[in-house]
Amino acid sequence: MPTASTEEQLLGLPVDQRFAALPEGDVDPGTYPGIYGVFPLTLAIPGPEAGLRQVPCAGLTWVGVHPDHRRRGVLTAMLRHHFEQVHAQPGTHVSALHASEPAIYGRHGYGLASLELEVSLSRGTTLAAPGLDEAAASVTTRMSTVTEPDVPARMRECDLAYAELGAVVGEQGYYERVCQQLPESLRGREPSRVLFARRDGADVGFVAFRRTDKWEHARPNGTLEVWGLCGAPATRLALLRRVLDFDLVSTVKVRSVGADDPLLLWAGGPRATGGIQTYDSLWVRLVDLPEALTERAWSATCDVVLDVADRAAPWNEGRWRVRADASGSATVERTTDDADLRLPVELLGAAYLGGTNLLGLAHAGLVAEQRPGAARELWRALRSDVTPTAAVGF
């Protein structure tokens, strides 16, 4: 059982973004049928000239339905409330989450937009990157504990400066939550620490990690888990080289590694590692479809009519004409023209960051192509140069 108070557990979650379903009928008035919360985040989406744009994103979290109220539509009602709240909020057009049970959220319009790898490496693994060695050598590092007062703000500034496609960045309170050290989260492990990378007296990245002490046959066999890594490639290289050479550690597990992360190349390929686990990372939901699609930059021209199914947010349902021009801008307007593609809104969420192949979804029979070539045309306009990175948990 948690030993921390409710407020300690909800640190960083704004009071006005904590919601509960109210009980009806002959039930315990002290029991909420369901709860959910929203972290105000920014999400890095494709931007102009192959760059990035950070846009507001509603980070859905703490979603739960009381066992006494399951199968009564509580989750459906809460998510509908969430979509209506986001839709009414100026400037925020997307919602996102990490799915504790992936089968649930696709039914409510969330699409899997990125993957996360967990890469295990042995202590002393060589990371080879000749073209980055000089830049990595110019990076100095300094150890901090996450409980030091300035650490949350420094981590946030680094994340804002070096956010990659698909990354989310929270407000200051979120980083205070990340740095919180509750007794039940330690479980015999050391407190989390942060190794800041510095160049010319300024922070240029960090690696956040926690070590678990273990000895076997009088030899150290500890594990170091990296749960946060930020910075330009040369900075990340320098930080990873440092944590791969810590004393009393035999295994380093690097979490939240994106599918195109250079770590696997530096290590010599998948078989040079101690193992790779693949998980779903960020699930994206287009709450205001036309605004969300026009907010991102497009990679190629297209003129496609979509017939979108969206029962949970009916203002999105129906036919939309998507026109993207050579400048990377797009218009999305209602139309009565015949559809070129029929698809559920969750597949647009999956492709929104440019990493999930929409043409592959069509080949899998998940997108119904009414005009031959329409799926390829839309996918070429949506796709990004690199796949989205894994997003930090929230």
Side-chain angles (χ1 to χ4, degrees), residues 176-219:
E176 292 170 1
R177 171 189 175 83
V178 166
C179 292
Q180 190 180 38
Q181 298 292 279
L182 300 177
E184 56 265 26
S185 68
L186 294 175
R187 298 179 182 175
R189 295 178 293 184
E190 290 184 1
S192 289
R193 304 183 188 278
V194 181
L195 195 64
F196 282 101
R198 296 177 64 80
R199 185 183 286 115
D200 299 327
D203 292 337
V204 292
F206 68 84
V207 57
F209 62 91
R210 177 179 284 163
R211 290 180 292 190
T212 301
D213 186 40
K214 185 178 181 181
W215 289 75
E216 289 185 348
H217 309 296
R219 295 182 179 179

Side-chain angles (χ1 to χ4, degrees), residues 75-86:
L75 178 61
T76 298
M78 290 196 302
L79 290 180
R80 178 62 182 267
H81 176 266
H82 172 57
F83 302 150
E84 289 173 348
Q85 292 279 310
V86 175

Side-chain angles (χ1 to χ4, degrees), residues 203-264:
D203 292 337
V204 292
F206 68 84
V207 57
F209 62 91
R210 177 179 284 163
R211 290 180 292 190
T212 301
D213 186 40
K214 185 178 181 181
W215 289 75
E216 289 185 348
H217 309 296
R219 295 182 179 179
N221 191 28
T223 299
L224 185 150
E225 295 184 29
V226 172
W227 53 265
L229 181 62
C230 171
T235 300
R236 298 202 306 272
L237 176 65
L239 290 167
L240 288 169
R241 283 174 170 172
R242 176 70 187 276
V243 298
L244 282 166
D245 195 31
F246 273 26
D247 292 335
L248 308 182
V249 168
S250 63
T251 301
V252 176
K253 293 184 177 182
V254 186
R255 292 161 42 190
S256 298
V257 176
D260 272 351
D261 193 284
L263 173 58
L264 294 182

Side-chain angles (χ1 to χ4, degrees), residues 16 35 38 42 51 86 104 134 136 146-147 251-252 259 374:
D16 64 351
I35 58 171
V38 179
T42 61
V86 175
I104 293 175
E134 184 176 349
V146 292
T147 54
T251 301
V252 176

Side-chain angles (χ1 to χ4, degrees), residues 17-313:
Q17 295 300 309
R18 304 173 187 178
F19 301 95
L22 297 178
E24 292 182 350
D26 186 20
V27 295
D28 179 2
T31 300
Y32 290 124
I35 58 171
Y36 79 88
V38 179
F39 282 115
L41 306 172
T42 61
L43 171 65
I45 66 173
E49 299 179 358
L52 298 177
R53 174 180 291 152
Q54 295 191 42
V55 299
C57 174
L60 189 65
T61 188
W62 278 91
V63 181
V65 176
H66 193 280
D68 292 343
H69 297 272
R70 295 184 67 235
R71 311 295 184 191
R72 299 182 185 178
V74 174
L75 178 61
T76 298
M78 290 196 302
L79 290 180
R80 178 62 182 267
H81 176 266
H82 172 57
F83 302 150
E84 289 173 348
Q85 292 279 310
V86 175
H87 191 236
Q89 182 178 339
T92 303
H93 311 306
V94 296
S95 173
L97 56 81
H98 290 274
S100 55
E101 296 190 47
I104 293 175
Y105 291 97
R107 298 198 300 265
H108 297 279
Y110 287 88
L112 177 56
S114 62
L115 297 176
E116 171 181 349
L117 308 181
E118 181 186 278
V119 181
S120 294
L121 300 168
S122 299
R123 181 189 173 186
T125 296
T126 298
L127 301 183
L132 296 178
D133 283 342
E134 184 176 349
S138 70
V139 174
T140 61
T141 57
R142 182 172 299 175
M143 185 83 76
S144 300
T145 62
V146 292
T147 54
E148 294 178 32
D150 63 340
V151 166
R154 292 171 67 187
M155 291 175 66
R156 183 172 188 271
E157 288 303 311
C158 288
D159 275 343
L160 284 171
Y162 297 101
E164 298 178 284
L165 176 64
V168 295
V169 180
E171 295 184 344
Q172 178 68 19
Y174 170 80
Y175 285 86
E176 292 170 1
R177 171 189 175 83
V178 166
C179 292
Q180 190 180 38
Q181 298 292 279
L182 300 177
E184 56 265 26
S185 68
L186 294 175
R187 298 179 182 175
R189 295 178 293 184
E190 290 184 1
S192 289
R193 304 183 188 278
V194 181
L195 195 64
F196 282 101
R198 296 177 64 80
R199 185 183 286 115
D200 299 327
D203 292 337
V204 292
F206 68 84
V207 57
F209 62 91
R210 177 179 284 163
R211 290 180 292 190
T212 301
D213 186 40
K214 185 178 181 181
W215 289 75
E216 289 185 348
H217 309 296
R219 295 182 179 179
N221 191 28
T223 299
L224 185 150
E225 295 184 29
V226 172
W227 53 265
L229 181 62
C230 171
T235 300
R236 298 202 306 272
L237 176 65
L239 290 167
L240 288 169
R241 283 174 170 172
R242 176 70 187 276
V243 298
L244 282 166
D245 195 31
F246 273 26
D247 292 335
L248 308 182
V249 168
S250 63
T251 301
V252 176
K253 293 184 177 182
V254 186
R255 292 161 42 190
S256 298
V257 176
D260 272 351
D261 193 284
L263 173 58
L264 294 182
L265 299 175
W266 295 338
R271 287 191 293 169
T273 72
I276 301 172
Q277 297 288 332
T278 304
Y279 304 94
D280 52 300
S281 184
L282 198 67
W283 293 69
V284 172
R285 213 288 183 199
L286 306 188
V287 178
D288 189 323
L289 184 150
E291 292 291 344
L293 291 180
T294 55
E295 200 164 39
R296 56 154 290 166
W298 293 68
S299 299
T301 60
C302 76
D303 187 352
V304 179
V305 176
L306 308 180
D307 190 353
V308 179
D310 191 351
R311 288 185 296 176

